[in-house]
Amino acid sequence: MPKPSEYKAVLFDKDGTLFSFTATWGTFCDRMISHLASTDEALKDRLAETVGYDRHAGQFKTGSLIVSASAGEVDEAWANLAPNHDLDDVETLTRKELNSLPLVPTCDLNKVMGMLKAQGLKLGVTTNDYEQGAISQLAEAEVTSLFDFVCGSDSGYGRKPGPGMIHGFCELNGLTPDQIIFVGDSTHDMHCGRNAGAGLCVGVLTGPATRTELETTANIVLSSIAQLPDFLLNHTRGE
């Protein structure tokens, strides 16, 4: 594993890492379920349950579809349950809703990303959301220019926990996976980093997963990405 000073880039998961998972995806699930089930309360419960969303409590199950699967897999699960809606219909609704979701950053993204870039690190975003959804959210948060790479489950690199997104970033930037710090809020993010051979897998507690769950696969668990710049500086000094 490289020393922190030898890391060249940080790749971030998006939801639960850069942006509040519940604020974004709770709203998304509520809207989609309402579209697909209309006034059928029993169907609403089935649609929520199949993706691991407790619509009455507004909470998500760790490791559920909405947390760990790609946007396309969530759409497929809903299309299999929703009457009068095929997969194309569901995907169209999803893409429309992704452009109007509430955006709640987990910290001051401009400040934190600026600190990381000041350490000479390239930055990227990898998400199982659709790529355009990620691009739209970064643009709304006015942080697009801070990132050198953005990819989603439909970008051609596969989806997490597969290694393709990390390997694709490395190939585009002439890096090796052990020079990458991979940051995410879920166990499937940590498995992605491990599968790709990332040099450091950092879990954050701003998503549904607990510290105990993340510690099974992460090298380090932080409260949020706001702690990452100081952690890297302090860790470097401690080497």
Side-chain angles (χ1 to χ4, degrees):
M1 180 184 298
K3 295 179 181 180
S5 59
E6 296 172 338
Y7 293 122
K8 302 299 183 184
V10 185
L11 284 180
F12 294 93
D13 166 59
K14 177 169 68 71
D15 300 302
T17 303
L18 300 178
F19 302 109
S20 168
F21 191 95
T22 300
T24 299
W25 293 101
T27 299
F28 172 76
C29 286
D30 288 337
R31 290 177 180 177
M32 288 295 295
I33 288 168
S34 180
H35 285 314
L36 298 174
S38 186
T39 60
D40 187 333
E41 295 300 315
L43 178 56
K44 288 181 179 180
D45 286 339
R46 291 198 300 274
L47 290 167
E49 182 179 358
T50 198
V51 298
Y53 175 54
D54 183 337
R55 72 186 185 94
H56 302 287
Q59 297 178 342
F60 296 90
K61 297 178 182 178
T62 301
S64 61
L65 274 184
I66 201 71
V67 173
S68 60
S70 68
E73 288 172 309
V74 171
D75 288 343
E76 186 173 349
W78 276 337
N80 288 334
L81 289 176
N84 304 317
H85 291 281
D86 61 19
L87 182 57
D88 287 342
D89 293 333
V90 177
E91 287 182 348
T92 298
L93 286 169
T94 290
R95 291 180 186 275
K96 179 180 179 180
E97 289 299 340
L98 288 177
N99 289 326
S100 61
L101 293 176
L103 200 62
V104 181
T106 58
C107 64
D108 185 334
L109 294 179
N110 271 293
K111 178 180 178 181
V112 171
M113 299 306 147
M115 293 169 70
L116 292 171
K117 290 186 79 70
Q119 294 183 33
L121 296 162
K122 288 184 175 292
L123 305 178
V125 178
T126 65
T127 177
N128 278 343
D129 185 7
Y130 292 123
E131 180 182 306
Q132 187 55 52
I135 291 172
S136 296
Q137 287 181 308
L138 294 173
E140 184 178 344
E142 300 182 344
V143 295
T144 304
S145 63
L146 295 174
F147 293 97
D148 305 284
F149 177 83
V150 179
C151 71
S153 59
D154 57 343
S155 299
Y157 298 101
R159 67 173 188 86
K160 297 178 288 184
M165 294 180 179
I166 296 176
H167 289 170
F169 177 82
C170 288
E171 290 171 7
L172 288 172
N173 290 279
L175 302 174
T176 57
D178 66 337
Q179 294 175 313
I180 303 296
I181 300 166
F182 193 71
V183 186
D185 69 299
S186 68
T187 54
H188 81 278
D189 288 323
M190 298 302 97
H191 285 301
C192 173
R194 294 287 191 180
N195 290 339
L200 189 70
C201 295
V202 178
V204 290
L205 298 174
T206 44
T210 65
R211 179 178 293 274
T212 299
E213 290 167 336
L214 289 172
E215 284 178 339
T216 61
T217 48
N219 297 117
I220 184 72
V221 178
L222 304 176
S223 294
S224 79
I225 60 172
Q227 294 183 312
L228 185 60
D230 285 344
F231 167 77
L232 293 177
L233 286 174
N234 293 334
H235 196 35
T236 300
R237 285 196 293 269
E239 287 292 325

